[in-house]
Each structure stands twice: as C-alpha cells, then as structure tokens.
Amino acid sequence: VDGGVVATTSVLGALVRSVAGGAVPVDTLVPVGSSPETYEPAPQDVVRLSHARLVVLNGAGLEVWLEKLLRAAASQQASILVLSDGIVVSPSSLPAAAGRSQSARAFLNPHLWLDPIYAQAYVRRIQTALVRQFPAQARVINQNTAAELARLQQLHRWIQAQIATVPPSKRAMLTFHDAWYYFDKRYGIRDLGAIESSPGKEPSAAEFAALVDRAKANHVRAIFAEPEFSRKLADQLAASAGTKTVIDLYDDSLGTEPGMDSYEGMMHHDVSAIVAGLKI
Ligand SMILES: [Zn+2]
C-alpha cells in the first residue's frame, strides 16, 4: 500500500485496522492460515515494504525473517513500530539483530497479543505511531482507539467470566506450540508446556514420553492445536494420554470462517473452544 501501514501478521493487521479505520490503508505480509514463525517471505513482500510509511511488527523473536526483508526493501522512509518492546525485556528486538533473536527465542515468548490486556497496550502504541505518521487523521484514529480499547476491556471481562465456569482443578493447558503462555498467566490457567519447545522443533522420544506423563499426571482432558500445523503429534499425544484433541485454535493467524476476521472474533472462538475442551 503506497504510503500506508504494513503489519507482519493478520492478527496484528486486525488490531492496526481497528485503530486506522478507513483513514489509513493497512496491508499484511503473512497470509491468513500461515505461521509467522516459519514464514518464508515472497518477492512481493519486498515491494510492499518498500512502499510502506509505517511497518508494524511484534518482535520478541516472532518475525526472524523480517530483518533481511527490510534490508532488501531498503525503505528509507518507513518507520518501524515493534509492539512488544518494553513489555517483554528483549535482548535483541527486531529488526536490530534478527540473528540473535532466533537464539533468544528459547527464553522469549512473543505471543503477548493473546492476552487482551497486552493487546490494549499494543493498541495504544499503534495509536501513537499512527497519529505521528498521519496527523491529519488524528481525530478518527483517537476515536477508533477509544472504541477498540472498550471492546478489548469487554472481551477481557467476558473471558474472566468464561474461565470462571471451569472448575479450578481443570484449568490447565497443554498445547502444540507455546502461544497461550501469557493468556494462561492472565486467567489463572496452569501452562503445562508445548509439544514443540520452539518453532518447528519436534520432541524427541524422551520428551514426548514426558509430555504423556505430564498430561496424565495433570488429568489433562484435551490437547490444543492450530489448523496451520500438522495435527499428527497432537493426535499421537492425545491417543497416548487418553485425551481428545482440539485442533481449531487461532492464535498466530486469524481464520477464514465468518466472524474470524477480527481480533475479538478470533478470541471469542478460541475461548469458547478452550472452555469446552477444559470441561470435557
Ligand atoms: Zn506462535
């Protein structure tokens, strides 16, 4: 988009659109249904970036492919907004040192946006950056921001009420990848870890056996996974631990189904699926 905003993922793009409204054009790089952690950029991504006035990324190791892309785009004009900066203490936020952030990924978890309170912090940062880049649109941007912050607060209260319907002993999640760490912390759910300890890394036989033991010891009733990844390992773990698999969580990407094209729509779907899975 000429002179507009480019966000790296569909979820971040949805948050940016909620603030930008129709006032500023917004484009995204990683297509819906793809993983931003294993994304391989397309040639047209360089073109998109080179035309952007503002590039919005998550950082904290999510977009390890972006630094090379930004260099190739050589977009001298573009401002860069790293949404996670200062929220997680990042030793090497993109795009300063992408090489280091890959190793930093072991102790950095980038999935802050799945906690609506952190999503509010993201929205405030998007507001500040958009007003700075597009001052003529400030009034619309500020109105949109207020409305989005209110929607996120309402979502937060709704999630609290939903989780409250799950017996405390059943509030534990074992997932395919580590997307729900901050969400779990916010809502008092025990995070029992993930099948993949880092993006694309399958567990060894010993690690897999430990996951089965952990699932059994905690009486886990469902293994949670996402449609963009193969369900094979989640199904194997569920079969070995005598549990079910919930494979339709959307976290790193929005979905294509009706109502799934907004952050709130995605979260409503996910929380309903999580609560149903925990109650089995
Ligand atoms: Zn992820």
Side-chain angles (χ1 to χ4, degrees), residues 1-6 45-56 66-80 95 133:
V1 182
D2 240 6
V5 183
V6 171
D45 290 341
V46 177
V47 179
R48 283 184 180 138
L49 283 171
S50 64
H51 292 161
R53 196 188 299 181
L54 175 67
V55 178
V56 179
L66 189 64
E67 195 201 5
K68 212 167 72 184
L69 207 59
L70 282 172
R71 257 204 311 268
S75 170
Q76 316 88 333
Q77 310 299 328
S79 239
I80 311 265
Q133 293 297 325

Side-chain angles (χ1 to χ4, degrees), residues 37 111 177 252:
E37 285 145 327
H111 302 91
H177 92 296
D252 290 354

